[in-house]
Structure formats: C-alpha cells, structure tokens
Amino acid sequence: MPVKQKIGIVISNKMQKTIVVKIENRYPHPIYSKTLVKTKKYVVHDEEETCNIGDKVLVQECRPLSKRKRWKLVEILSKSSLIS
C-alpha cells in the first residue's frame, strides 16, 4: 500500500517537537464548476524542531504518535522569508 504524502504550509510551531500544517485541497464544484478550496490542519511530528512559521513542508502519514499526531515531517521544501 502506498504511503500518503502531502505538501502544506506551517502555521504553528509553538509545541515541543510538533508543528501544525495547513493543507489546501482545490477542487471544482460538481455542478457550477467554480473552484472551491477546502483547508485542513494536521498535527505533524518534527523531531529536530527545524520548521518555522510559513515554511513549505512535505509530510508523510505514519503510525499514531499521540492522540492527534499521525503525520511526520519528511523534508522542508522551502524556507519562509518571515523571521520568527
């Protein structure tokens, strides 16, 4: 079974070894064809605490690490220009 991977933006890094990533899913409305955007937040494990707010990251599904953490950080695709 293939491993699920998603690309998103870090919106919080205030927890220890944990980040919150916002992932947008764009799809057309079935009748009106307008592009809709659905946003979902994932709690992701960041072992080295290297992420900052605004970074674009690749995350991968893994075994449950806590009550809400089921994703882990694979790599940082681009660093944010924001200083935090």
Side-chain angles (χ1 to χ4, degrees), residues 17-58:
K17 295 189 178 185
T18 304
I19 56 175
V20 179
V21 176
K22 174 181 74 170
I23 295 174
E24 289 184 349
N25 182 22
R26 295 175 181 267
Y27 62 97
H29 188 278
I31 296 172
Y32 302 115
S33 299
K34 178 181 177 179
T35 301
L36 302 174
V37 180
K38 189 170 278 194
T39 303
K40 193 163 183 185
K41 293 193 289 188
Y42 292 95
V43 180
V44 178
H45 184 66
D46 178 15
E47 183 65 38
E48 287 87 35
E49 298 186 14
T50 54
C51 290
N52 288 319
I53 295 173
D55 291 352
K56 191 173 189 179
V57 295
L58 177 66

